[in-house]
Amino acid sequence: MLIIALEGPSYAGKSTAIRHLRRTTLGSRAFVSDCYVKHIAHRDDIPPARTDSAAAQLAAFDRFMEIEVARVAEAAANSRQLVILDRSVDTLLAHAYALDALFGYGVHHQLRHRLKTLPFLRPDHTLYLDVPVETLHLRRKTAGHTAAEFEYFLHEPRFLHHARDYFVHTARRPMTRELTVLAADAGPDEVAKAVEALVGFWAR
């Protein structure tokens, strides 16, 4: 089984790329799993992006790992040899890494340790869509989401900086076996095609 994950900040283009892949030959022969939050039926049940304590951050991790366990079972029950993930456990670790840096929760190392005993899908390849902060803000504004949710923690520059560091600069490697960074500040169709090309190369 070959597991490929797409990572990157909110509005980086992951969902667009996933939708594009679903329409291709690659997508037709792959098991594709949506982002964690899409597995939660009610918006109010989604853990907050900015937790207010280390305990709350650990609880958020546990909630998302319930979904990860279900992903593992679904992938195992599926006969397809290609698995494509919209975010992986590295999302959860990157989030904790950023909140540790911002608020001193000190939970990132605990989560890494806990993962050693928990079932999860470890990507063989992770494609990180790297987008400048200004471009992310513009995409969110174009989508019409700025008025309804003015303060968007996931786009706060300090959070984005630390979350990106987890993938690109941190001394401790992400859980994925191999990380590729793709500049994704082009149009969504162009980015989706670049993602398709890389996934096709890995899945040969």
Side-chain angles (χ1 to χ4, degrees), residues 104-152:
Y105 290 164
V107 301
H108 179 259
H109 69 286
Q110 296 181 52
L111 302 189
R112 292 187 73 98
H113 181 73
R114 288 169 69 174
L115 278 175
K116 294 178 181 178
T117 62
L118 296 174
F120 66 93
L121 295 169
R122 183 185 183 191
D124 297 290
H125 297 277
T126 291
L127 183 54
Y128 180 82
L129 304 186
D130 196 19
V131 184
V133 175
E134 297 78 14
T135 303
L136 294 173
H137 290 170
L138 179 60
R139 289 178 181 177
R140 182 165 168 264
K141 183 177 180 180
T142 301
H145 296 163
T146 53
E149 193 177 11
F150 180 73
E151 292 187 4
Y152 189 58

mmCIF file of all heavy atoms in Angstrom, residues 104-152:
data_model
loop_
_atom_site.group_PDB
_atom_site.id
_atom_site.type_symbol
_atom_site.label_atom_id
_atom_site.label_comp_id
_atom_site.label_asym_id
_atom_site.label_seq_id
_atom_site.Cartn_x
_atom_site.Cartn_y
_atom_site.Cartn_z
ATOM 1 N N GLY A 104 3.373 27.730 25.026
ATOM 2 C CA GLY A 104 4.133 26.937 25.984
ATOM 3 C C GLY A 104 3.405 25.744 26.559
ATOM 4 O O GLY A 104 3.669 25.341 27.701
ATOM 5 N N TYR A 105 2.507 25.125 25.782
ATOM 6 C CA TYR A 105 1.743 23.990 26.294
ATOM 7 C C TYR A 105 2.627 22.770 26.580
ATOM 8 O O TYR A 105 2.358 21.992 27.480
ATOM 9 C CB TYR A 105 0.637 23.596 25.314
ATOM 10 C CG TYR A 105 -0.500 24.579 25.210
ATOM 11 C CD1 TYR A 105 -1.391 24.538 24.144
ATOM 12 C CD2 TYR A 105 -0.703 25.562 26.182
ATOM 13 C CE1 TYR A 105 -2.448 25.431 24.045
ATOM 14 C CE2 TYR A 105 -1.744 26.464 26.093
ATOM 15 C CZ TYR A 105 -2.624 26.395 25.016
ATOM 16 O OH TYR A 105 -3.659 27.277 24.924
ATOM 17 N N GLY A 106 3.624 22.580 25.760
ATOM 18 C CA GLY A 106 4.519 21.447 25.978
ATOM 19 C C GLY A 106 3.901 20.083 25.708
ATOM 20 O O GLY A 106 4.206 19.114 26.418
ATOM 21 N N VAL A 107 3.054 19.988 24.677
ATOM 22 C CA VAL A 107 2.375 18.713 24.411
ATOM 23 C C VAL A 107 2.916 17.989 23.175
ATOM 24 O O VAL A 107 2.637 16.801 23.000
ATOM 25 C CB VAL A 107 0.845 18.910 24.258
ATOM 26 C CG1 VAL A 107 0.253 19.527 25.518
ATOM 27 C CG2 VAL A 107 0.509 19.758 23.038
ATOM 28 N N HIS A 108 3.673 18.675 22.349
ATOM 29 C CA HIS A 108 4.103 18.063 21.087
ATOM 30 C C HIS A 108 4.858 16.759 21.321
ATOM 31 O O HIS A 108 4.570 15.741 20.670
ATOM 32 C CB HIS A 108 4.969 19.043 20.294
ATOM 33 C CG HIS A 108 5.468 18.486 19.004
ATOM 34 N ND1 HIS A 108 6.752 18.003 18.850
ATOM 35 C CD2 HIS A 108 4.858 18.302 17.803
ATOM 36 C CE1 HIS A 108 6.910 17.558 17.611
ATOM 37 N NE2 HIS A 108 5.793 17.731 16.962
ATOM 38 N N HIS A 109 5.793 16.786 22.257
ATOM 39 C CA HIS A 109 6.571 15.563 22.506
ATOM 40 C C HIS A 109 5.692 14.463 23.069
ATOM 41 O O HIS A 109 5.921 13.270 22.798
ATOM 42 C CB HIS A 109 7.722 15.862 23.471
ATOM 43 C CG HIS A 109 7.299 16.167 24.875
ATOM 44 N ND1 HIS A 109 6.715 17.361 25.231
ATOM 45 C CD2 HIS A 109 7.334 15.404 26.010
ATOM 46 C CE1 HIS A 109 6.441 17.349 26.522
ATOM 47 N NE2 HIS A 109 6.786 16.181 27.009
ATOM 48 N N GLN A 110 4.658 14.827 23.840
ATOM 49 C CA GLN A 110 3.730 13.821 24.370
ATOM 50 C C GLN A 110 2.961 13.139 23.236
ATOM 51 O O GLN A 110 2.761 11.923 23.261
ATOM 52 C CB GLN A 110 2.735 14.469 25.329
ATOM 53 C CG GLN A 110 3.344 15.073 26.577
ATOM 54 C CD GLN A 110 2.283 15.664 27.474
ATOM 55 O OE1 GLN A 110 1.306 14.988 27.821
ATOM 56 N NE2 GLN A 110 2.441 16.931 27.843
ATOM 57 N N LEU A 111 2.548 13.933 22.264
ATOM 58 C CA LEU A 111 1.787 13.366 21.150
ATOM 59 C C LEU A 111 2.654 12.448 20.302
ATOM 60 O O LEU A 111 2.195 11.377 19.873
ATOM 61 C CB LEU A 111 1.211 14.487 20.285
ATOM 62 C CG LEU A 111 0.304 15.496 20.994
ATOM 63 C CD1 LEU A 111 -0.373 16.415 19.987
ATOM 64 C CD2 LEU A 111 -0.738 14.786 21.846
ATOM 65 N N ARG A 112 3.886 12.830 20.066
ATOM 66 C CA ARG A 112 4.790 11.952 19.313
ATOM 67 C C ARG A 112 4.971 10.623 20.043
ATOM 68 O O ARG A 112 5.005 9.553 19.425
ATOM 69 C CB ARG A 112 6.138 12.630 19.091
ATOM 70 C CG ARG A 112 6.108 13.822 18.172
ATOM 71 C CD ARG A 112 7.523 14.327 17.884
ATOM 72 N NE ARG A 112 8.217 13.434 16.992
ATOM 73 C CZ ARG A 112 8.336 13.623 15.677
ATOM 74 N NH1 ARG A 112 7.780 14.670 15.093
ATOM 75 N NH2 ARG A 112 9.011 12.764 14.935
ATOM 76 N N HIS A 113 5.103 10.697 21.353
ATOM 77 C CA HIS A 113 5.282 9.476 22.143
ATOM 78 C C HIS A 113 4.029 8.611 22.084
ATOM 79 O O HIS A 113 4.116 7.380 21.938
ATOM 80 C CB HIS A 113 5.606 9.845 23.592
ATOM 81 C CG HIS A 113 5.831 8.650 24.476
ATOM 82 N ND1 HIS A 113 6.968 7.869 24.402
ATOM 83 C CD2 HIS A 113 5.040 8.094 25.439
ATOM 84 C CE1 HIS A 113 6.882 6.893 25.277
ATOM 85 N NE2 HIS A 113 5.727 6.997 25.914
ATOM 86 N N ARG A 114 2.847 9.235 22.164
ATOM 87 C CA ARG A 114 1.595 8.485 22.141
ATOM 88 C C ARG A 114 1.365 7.819 20.791
ATOM 89 O O ARG A 114 0.770 6.731 20.723
ATOM 90 C CB ARG A 114 0.427 9.404 22.499
ATOM 91 C CG ARG A 114 0.428 9.774 23.973
ATOM 92 C CD ARG A 114 -0.542 10.875 24.294
ATOM 93 N NE ARG A 114 -1.927 10.459 24.161
ATOM 94 C CZ ARG A 114 -2.947 11.219 24.510
ATOM 95 N NH1 ARG A 114 -2.736 12.416 24.998
ATOM 96 N NH2 ARG A 114 -4.183 10.775 24.371
ATOM 97 N N LEU A 115 1.832 8.443 19.733
ATOM 98 C CA LEU A 115 1.636 7.864 18.407
ATOM 99 C C LEU A 115 2.353 6.515 18.259
ATOM 100 O O LEU A 115 1.975 5.702 17.412
ATOM 101 C CB LEU A 115 2.114 8.824 17.323
ATOM 102 C CG LEU A 115 1.141 9.934 16.921
ATOM 103 C CD1 LEU A 115 1.797 10.895 15.932
ATOM 104 C CD2 LEU A 115 -0.130 9.354 16.315
ATOM 105 N N LYS A 116 3.376 6.289 19.067
ATOM 106 C CA LYS A 116 4.114 5.031 18.985
ATOM 107 C C LYS A 116 3.229 3.834 19.322
ATOM 108 O O LYS A 116 3.516 2.707 18.911
ATOM 109 C CB LYS A 116 5.325 5.068 19.922
ATOM 110 C CG LYS A 116 6.382 6.085 19.527
ATOM 111 C CD LYS A 116 7.524 6.090 20.530
ATOM 112 C CE LYS A 116 8.584 7.115 20.166
ATOM 113 N NZ LYS A 116 9.687 7.156 21.168
ATOM 114 N N THR A 117 2.148 4.088 20.081
ATOM 115 C CA THR A 117 1.282 2.987 20.503
ATOM 116 C C THR A 117 -0.094 3.046 19.857
ATOM 117 O O THR A 117 -0.963 2.225 20.186
ATOM 118 C CB THR A 117 1.113 3.000 22.039
ATOM 119 O OG1 THR A 117 0.488 4.235 22.434
ATOM 120 C CG2 THR A 117 2.466 2.890 22.731
ATOM 121 N N LEU A 118 -0.307 3.995 18.953
ATOM 122 C CA LEU A 118 -1.615 4.174 18.322
ATOM 123 C C LEU A 118 -1.551 3.821 16.839
ATOM 124 O O LEU A 118 -0.540 4.086 16.179
ATOM 125 C CB LEU A 118 -2.086 5.628 18.472
ATOM 126 C CG LEU A 118 -2.345 6.126 19.888
ATOM 127 C CD1 LEU A 118 -2.658 7.624 19.863
ATOM 128 C CD2 LEU A 118 -3.495 5.358 20.528
ATOM 129 N N PRO A 119 -2.626 3.231 16.297
ATOM 130 C CA PRO A 119 -2.649 2.968 14.854
ATOM 131 C C PRO A 119 -2.859 4.251 14.075
ATOM 132 O O PRO A 119 -3.709 5.068 14.425
ATOM 133 C CB PRO A 119 -3.848 2.021 14.699
ATOM 134 C CG PRO A 119 -4.751 2.357 15.849
ATOM 135 C CD PRO A 119 -3.844 2.760 16.978
ATOM 136 N N PHE A 120 -2.066 4.451 13.037
ATOM 137 C CA PHE A 120 -2.260 5.617 12.178
ATOM 138 C C PHE A 120 -1.644 5.324 10.820
ATOM 139 O O PHE A 120 -0.829 4.407 10.670
ATOM 140 C CB PHE A 120 -1.657 6.880 12.796
ATOM 141 C CG PHE A 120 -0.148 6.879 12.916
ATOM 142 C CD1 PHE A 120 0.650 7.417 11.915
ATOM 143 C CD2 PHE A 120 0.478 6.340 14.034
ATOM 144 C CE1 PHE A 120 2.032 7.421 12.021
ATOM 145 C CE2 PHE A 120 1.860 6.336 14.150
ATOM 146 C CZ PHE A 120 2.643 6.879 13.144
ATOM 147 N N LEU A 121 -2.067 6.092 9.842
ATOM 148 C CA LEU A 121 -1.561 5.947 8.480
ATOM 149 C C LEU A 121 -0.321 6.818 8.320
ATOM 150 O O LEU A 121 -0.415 8.046 8.279
ATOM 151 C CB LEU A 121 -2.644 6.348 7.476
ATOM 152 C CG LEU A 121 -3.895 5.459 7.464
ATOM 153 C CD1 LEU A 121 -4.998 6.105 6.630
ATOM 154 C CD2 LEU A 121 -3.565 4.073 6.913
ATOM 155 N N ARG A 122 0.811 6.171 8.231
ATOM 156 C CA ARG A 122 2.063 6.924 8.058
ATOM 157 C C ARG A 122 2.324 7.101 6.565
ATOM 158 O O ARG A 122 2.548 6.114 5.854
ATOM 159 C CB ARG A 122 3.237 6.192 8.702
ATOM 160 C CG ARG A 122 4.534 6.993 8.601
ATOM 161 C CD ARG A 122 5.718 6.219 9.125
ATOM 162 N NE ARG A 122 6.929 7.018 9.075
ATOM 163 C CZ ARG A 122 8.150 6.544 9.271
ATOM 164 N NH1 ARG A 122 8.315 5.262 9.565
ATOM 165 N NH2 ARG A 122 9.194 7.346 9.194
ATOM 166 N N PRO A 123 2.309 8.331 6.079
ATOM 167 C CA PRO A 123 2.506 8.531 4.634
ATOM 168 C C PRO A 123 3.892 8.095 4.168
ATOM 169 O O PRO A 123 4.889 8.282 4.875
ATOM 170 C CB PRO A 123 2.326 10.043 4.459
ATOM 171 C CG PRO A 123 1.533 10.480 5.654
ATOM 172 C CD PRO A 123 1.990 9.585 6.774
ATOM 173 N N ASP A 124 3.928 7.520 2.982
ATOM 174 C CA ASP A 124 5.210 7.266 2.320
ATOM 175 C C ASP A 124 5.736 8.554 1.712
ATOM 176 O O ASP A 124 6.954 8.787 1.690
ATOM 177 C CB ASP A 124 5.028 6.209 1.233
ATOM 178 C CG ASP A 124 4.585 4.879 1.804
ATOM 179 O OD1 ASP A 124 5.400 4.222 2.471
ATOM 180 O OD2 ASP A 124 3.405 4.512 1.614
ATOM 181 N N HIS A 125 4.822 9.371 1.206
ATOM 182 C CA HIS A 125 5.159 10.674 0.637
ATOM 183 C C HIS A 125 4.167 11.711 1.155
ATOM 184 O O HIS A 125 2.963 11.448 1.200
ATOM 185 C CB HIS A 125 5.076 10.666 -0.892
ATOM 186 C CG HIS A 125 6.033 9.737 -1.562
ATOM 187 N ND1 HIS A 125 7.352 10.069 -1.813
ATOM 188 C CD2 HIS A 125 5.865 8.479 -2.030
ATOM 189 C CE1 HIS A 125 7.949 9.055 -2.407
ATOM 190 N NE2 HIS A 125 7.076 8.074 -2.554
ATOM 191 N N THR A 126 4.676 12.859 1.538
ATOM 192 C CA THR A 126 3.813 13.987 1.886
ATOM 193 C C THR A 126 4.184 15.166 1.008
ATOM 194 O O THR A 126 5.366 15.506 0.873
ATOM 195 C CB THR A 126 3.943 14.369 3.363
ATOM 196 O OG1 THR A 126 3.383 13.333 4.160
ATOM 197 C CG2 THR A 126 3.209 15.673 3.669
ATOM 198 N N LEU A 127 3.175 15.762 0.420
ATOM 199 C CA LEU A 127 3.357 16.932 -0.436
ATOM 200 C C LEU A 127 2.847 18.145 0.331
ATOM 201 O O LEU A 127 1.650 18.253 0.609
ATOM 202 C CB LEU A 127 2.591 16.749 -1.741
ATOM 203 C CG LEU A 127 2.717 17.836 -2.811
ATOM 204 C CD1 LEU A 127 4.174 18.107 -3.142
ATOM 205 C CD2 LEU A 127 1.960 17.419 -4.068
ATOM 206 N N TYR A 128 3.762 19.027 0.716
ATOM 207 C CA TYR A 128 3.400 20.220 1.470
ATOM 208 C C TYR A 128 3.218 21.383 0.502
ATOM 209 O O TYR A 128 4.163 21.767 -0.200
ATOM 210 C CB TYR A 128 4.485 20.554 2.494
ATOM 211 C CG TYR A 128 4.178 21.786 3.322
ATOM 212 C CD1 TYR A 128 3.339 21.708 4.425
ATOM 213 C CD2 TYR A 128 4.715 23.025 2.983
ATOM 214 C CE1 TYR A 128 3.041 22.832 5.178
ATOM 215 C CE2 TYR A 128 4.423 24.153 3.727
ATOM 216 C CZ TYR A 128 3.583 24.055 4.826
ATOM 217 O OH TYR A 128 3.282 25.172 5.561
ATOM 218 N N LEU A 129 1.993 21.917 0.445
ATOM 219 C CA LEU A 129 1.700 23.057 -0.424
ATOM 220 C C LEU A 129 2.088 24.330 0.308
ATOM 221 O O LEU A 129 1.474 24.704 1.306
ATOM 222 C CB LEU A 129 0.211 23.073 -0.797
ATOM 223 C CG LEU A 129 -0.333 21.804 -1.463
ATOM 224 C CD1 LEU A 129 -1.777 22.019 -1.906
ATOM 225 C CD2 LEU A 129 0.532 21.395 -2.651
ATOM 226 N N ASP A 130 3.104 24.987 -0.194
ATOM 227 C CA ASP A 130 3.700 26.140 0.476
ATOM 228 C C ASP A 130 3.196 27.431 -0.172
ATOM 229 O O ASP A 130 3.442 27.668 -1.366
ATOM 230 C CB ASP A 130 5.220 26.046 0.370
ATOM 231 C CG ASP A 130 5.941 26.958 1.332
ATOM 232 O OD1 ASP A 130 5.318 27.397 2.320
ATOM 233 O OD2 ASP A 130 7.142 27.229 1.106
ATOM 234 N N VAL A 131 2.484 28.237 0.608
ATOM 235 C CA VAL A 131 1.835 29.432 0.082
ATOM 236 C C VAL A 131 2.155 30.630 0.979
ATOM 237 O O VAL A 131 2.033 30.512 2.209
ATOM 238 C CB VAL A 131 0.305 29.243 -0.002
ATOM 239 C CG1 VAL A 131 -0.354 30.456 -0.649
ATOM 240 C CG2 VAL A 131 -0.037 27.977 -0.779
ATOM 241 N N PRO A 132 2.536 31.789 0.411
ATOM 242 C CA PRO A 132 2.792 32.978 1.234
ATOM 243 C C PRO A 132 1.548 33.418 1.996
ATOM 244 O O PRO A 132 0.411 33.205 1.550
ATOM 245 C CB PRO A 132 3.198 34.042 0.205
ATOM 246 C CG PRO A 132 3.635 33.272 -0.999
ATOM 247 C CD PRO A 132 2.812 32.031 -1.018
ATOM 248 N N VAL A 133 1.766 34.019 3.161
ATOM 249 C CA VAL A 133 0.666 34.463 4.012
ATOM 250 C C VAL A 133 -0.282 35.391 3.257
ATOM 251 O O VAL A 133 -1.509 35.260 3.352
ATOM 252 C CB VAL A 133 1.213 35.171 5.267
ATOM 253 C CG1 VAL A 133 0.080 35.754 6.098
ATOM 254 C CG2 VAL A 133 2.042 34.205 6.107
ATOM 255 N N GLU A 134 0.272 36.326 2.487
ATOM 256 C CA GLU A 134 -0.561 37.294 1.775
ATOM 257 C C GLU A 134 -1.496 36.599 0.785
ATOM 258 O O GLU A 134 -2.657 36.995 0.621
ATOM 259 C CB GLU A 134 0.331 38.305 1.046
ATOM 260 C CG GLU A 134 1.212 39.168 1.951
ATOM 261 C CD GLU A 134 2.437 38.421 2.455
ATOM 262 O OE1 GLU A 134 2.751 37.343 1.903
ATOM 263 O OE2 GLU A 134 3.073 38.919 3.415
ATOM 264 N N THR A 135 -0.999 35.572 0.130
ATOM 265 C CA THR A 135 -1.816 34.833 -0.830
ATOM 266 C C THR A 135 -2.936 34.077 -0.123
ATOM 267 O O THR A 135 -4.071 34.027 -0.613
ATOM 268 C CB THR A 135 -0.944 33.856 -1.638
ATOM 269 O OG1 THR A 135 0.098 34.586 -2.297
ATOM 270 C CG2 THR A 135 -1.771 33.113 -2.685
ATOM 271 N N LEU A 136 -2.633 33.510 1.032
ATOM 272 C CA LEU A 136 -3.660 32.810 1.804
ATOM 273 C C LEU A 136 -4.782 33.763 2.200
ATOM 274 O O LEU A 136 -5.965 33.441 2.079
ATOM 275 C CB LEU A 136 -3.049 32.181 3.049
ATOM 276 C CG LEU A 136 -2.036 31.056 2.837
ATOM 277 C CD1 LEU A 136 -1.396 30.673 4.168
ATOM 278 C CD2 LEU A 136 -2.699 29.846 2.197
ATOM 279 N N HIS A 137 -4.412 34.954 2.675
ATOM 280 C CA HIS A 137 -5.412 35.949 3.078
ATOM 281 C C HIS A 137 -6.275 36.356 1.884
ATOM 282 O O HIS A 137 -7.499 36.503 2.017
ATOM 283 C CB HIS A 137 -4.720 37.173 3.667
ATOM 284 C CG HIS A 137 -4.090 36.914 4.994
ATOM 285 N ND1 HIS A 137 -3.252 37.815 5.620
ATOM 286 C CD2 HIS A 137 -4.166 35.844 5.835
ATOM 287 C CE1 HIS A 137 -2.846 37.316 6.773
ATOM 288 N NE2 HIS A 137 -3.383 36.129 6.920
ATOM 289 N N LEU A 138 -5.644 36.527 0.733
ATOM 290 C CA LEU A 138 -6.384 36.926 -0.464
ATOM 291 C C LEU A 138 -7.353 35.823 -0.886
ATOM 292 O O LEU A 138 -8.506 36.115 -1.259
ATOM 293 C CB LEU A 138 -5.403 37.243 -1.596
ATOM 294 C CG LEU A 138 -6.040 37.667 -2.930
ATOM 295 C CD1 LEU A 138 -6.886 38.923 -2.745
ATOM 296 C CD2 LEU A 138 -4.962 37.899 -3.981
ATOM 297 N N ARG A 139 -6.929 34.578 -0.841
ATOM 298 C CA ARG A 139 -7.804 33.463 -1.221
ATOM 299 C C ARG A 139 -9.010 33.373 -0.286
ATOM 300 O O ARG A 139 -10.136 33.129 -0.726
ATOM 301 C CB ARG A 139 -7.020 32.148 -1.204
ATOM 302 C CG ARG A 139 -6.018 32.023 -2.329
ATOM 303 C CD ARG A 139 -5.236 30.729 -2.227
ATOM 304 N NE ARG A 139 -4.260 30.604 -3.295
ATOM 305 C CZ ARG A 139 -3.401 29.606 -3.408
ATOM 306 N NH1 ARG A 139 -3.406 28.630 -2.509
ATOM 307 N NH2 ARG A 139 -2.537 29.568 -4.408
ATOM 308 N N ARG A 140 -8.763 33.574 0.997
ATOM 309 C CA ARG A 140 -9.866 33.519 1.951
ATOM 310 C C ARG A 140 -10.831 34.678 1.720
ATOM 311 O O ARG A 140 -12.053 34.514 1.801
ATOM 312 C CB ARG A 140 -9.307 33.555 3.371
ATOM 313 C CG ARG A 140 -10.374 33.445 4.438
ATOM 314 C CD ARG A 140 -9.767 33.122 5.789
ATOM 315 N NE ARG A 140 -10.755 33.301 6.819
ATOM 316 C CZ ARG A 140 -10.890 34.407 7.548
ATOM 317 N NH1 ARG A 140 -10.056 35.423 7.356
ATOM 318 N NH2 ARG A 140 -11.836 34.504 8.457
ATOM 319 N N LYS A 141 -10.292 35.847 1.411
ATOM 320 C CA LYS A 141 -11.133 37.009 1.134
ATOM 321 C C LYS A 141 -11.948 36.781 -0.129
ATOM 322 O O LYS A 141 -13.150 37.079 -0.183
ATOM 323 C CB LYS A 141 -10.269 38.256 0.986
ATOM 324 C CG LYS A 141 -11.059 39.541 0.756
ATOM 325 C CD LYS A 141 -10.139 40.742 0.694
ATOM 326 C CE LYS A 141 -10.933 42.025 0.474
ATOM 327 N NZ LYS A 141 -10.028 43.215 0.410
ATOM 328 N N THR A 142 -11.321 36.228 -1.152
ATOM 329 C CA THR A 142 -12.008 35.950 -2.417
ATOM 330 C C THR A 142 -13.131 34.939 -2.216
ATOM 331 O O THR A 142 -14.186 35.021 -2.863
ATOM 332 C CB THR A 142 -11.004 35.412 -3.455
ATOM 333 O OG1 THR A 142 -9.972 36.393 -3.659
ATOM 334 C CG2 THR A 142 -11.686 35.131 -4.792
ATOM 335 N N ALA A 143 -12.914 34.004 -1.296
ATOM 336 C CA ALA A 143 -13.939 33.003 -1.006
ATOM 337 C C ALA A 143 -15.108 33.579 -0.212
ATOM 338 O O ALA A 143 -16.125 32.912 -0.021
ATOM 339 C CB ALA A 143 -13.328 31.839 -0.240
ATOM 340 N N GLY A 144 -14.958 34.829 0.249
ATOM 341 C CA GLY A 144 -16.035 35.495 0.969
ATOM 342 C C GLY A 144 -16.162 35.097 2.425
ATOM 343 O O GLY A 144 -17.227 35.251 3.019
ATOM 344 N N HIS A 145 -15.063 34.612 3.015
ATOM 345 C CA HIS A 145 -15.135 34.113 4.381
ATOM 346 C C HIS A 145 -14.639 35.118 5.419
ATOM 347 O O HIS A 145 -14.756 34.858 6.621
ATOM 348 C CB HIS A 145 -14.323 32.829 4.512
ATOM 349 C CG HIS A 145 -14.877 31.704 3.685
ATOM 350 N ND1 HIS A 145 -14.147 30.578 3.383
ATOM 351 C CD2 HIS A 145 -16.087 31.533 3.091
ATOM 352 C CE1 HIS A 145 -14.888 29.767 2.639
ATOM 353 N NE2 HIS A 145 -16.058 30.326 2.448
ATOM 354 N N THR A 146 -14.077 36.239 4.989
ATOM 355 C CA THR A 146 -13.506 37.179 5.953
ATOM 356 C C THR A 146 -14.569 37.906 6.755
ATOM 357 O O THR A 146 -14.373 38.203 7.931
ATOM 358 C CB THR A 146 -12.613 38.204 5.244
ATOM 359 O OG1 THR A 146 -13.359 38.818 4.184
ATOM 360 C CG2 THR A 146 -11.381 37.543 4.667
ATOM 361 N N ALA A 147 -15.705 38.196 6.162
ATOM 362 C CA ALA A 147 -16.749 38.948 6.871
ATOM 363 C C ALA A 147 -17.387 38.101 7.967
ATOM 364 O O ALA A 147 -17.649 38.575 9.072
ATOM 365 C CB ALA A 147 -17.816 39.415 5.883
ATOM 366 N N ALA A 148 -17.630 36.828 7.671
ATOM 367 C CA ALA A 148 -18.296 35.953 8.639
ATOM 368 C C ALA A 148 -17.369 35.549 9.782
ATOM 369 O O ALA A 148 -17.811 35.310 10.900
ATOM 370 C CB ALA A 148 -18.815 34.709 7.933
ATOM 371 N N GLU A 149 -16.078 35.467 9.527
ATOM 372 C CA GLU A 149 -15.117 35.041 10.539
ATOM 373 C C GLU A 149 -13.888 35.936 10.432
ATOM 374 O O GLU A 149 -12.890 35.597 9.808
ATOM 375 C CB GLU A 149 -14.735 33.559 10.312
ATOM 376 C CG GLU A 149 -13.990 32.948 11.466
ATOM 377 C CD GLU A 149 -13.699 31.467 11.231
ATOM 378 O OE1 GLU A 149 -13.896 30.998 10.090
ATOM 379 O OE2 GLU A 149 -13.277 30.795 12.178
ATOM 380 N N PHE A 150 -14.004 37.111 11.052
ATOM 381 C CA PHE A 150 -12.965 38.124 10.885
ATOM 382 C C PHE A 150 -11.629 37.672 11.455
ATOM 383 O O PHE A 150 -10.582 37.780 10.821
ATOM 384 C CB PHE A 150 -13.407 39.437 11.538
ATOM 385 C CG PHE A 150 -12.399 40.537 11.414
ATOM 386 C CD1 PHE A 150 -12.192 41.163 10.198
ATOM 387 C CD2 PHE A 150 -11.641 40.930 12.507
ATOM 388 C CE1 PHE A 150 -11.245 42.178 10.071
ATOM 389 C CE2 PHE A 150 -10.695 41.938 12.380
ATOM 390 C CZ PHE A 150 -10.497 42.561 11.171
ATOM 391 N N GLU A 151 -11.650 37.152 12.691
ATOM 392 C CA GLU A 151 -10.422 36.678 13.312
ATOM 393 C C GLU A 151 -10.272 35.182 13.025
ATOM 394 O O GLU A 151 -11.053 34.366 13.514
ATOM 395 C CB GLU A 151 -10.450 36.935 14.816
ATOM 396 C CG GLU A 151 -10.390 38.417 15.179
ATOM 397 C CD GLU A 151 -10.241 38.625 16.671
ATOM 398 O OE1 GLU A 151 -10.115 37.612 17.396
ATOM 399 O OE2 GLU A 151 -10.259 39.785 17.103
ATOM 400 N N TYR A 152 -9.285 34.855 12.241
ATOM 401 C CA TYR A 152 -9.102 33.473 11.797
ATOM 402 C C TYR A 152 -7.747 32.991 12.294
ATOM 403 O O TYR A 152 -6.704 33.294 11.715
ATOM 404 C CB TYR A 152 -9.189 33.415 10.271
ATOM 405 C CG TYR A 152 -9.229 32.017 9.691
ATOM 406 C CD1 TYR A 152 -10.221 31.112 10.062
ATOM 407 C CD2 TYR A 152 -8.281 31.603 8.760
ATOM 408 C CE1 TYR A 152 -10.266 29.840 9.524
ATOM 409 C CE2 TYR A 152 -8.321 30.340 8.211
ATOM 410 C CZ TYR A 152 -9.324 29.462 8.599
ATOM 411 O OH TYR A 152 -9.360 28.192 8.066
#
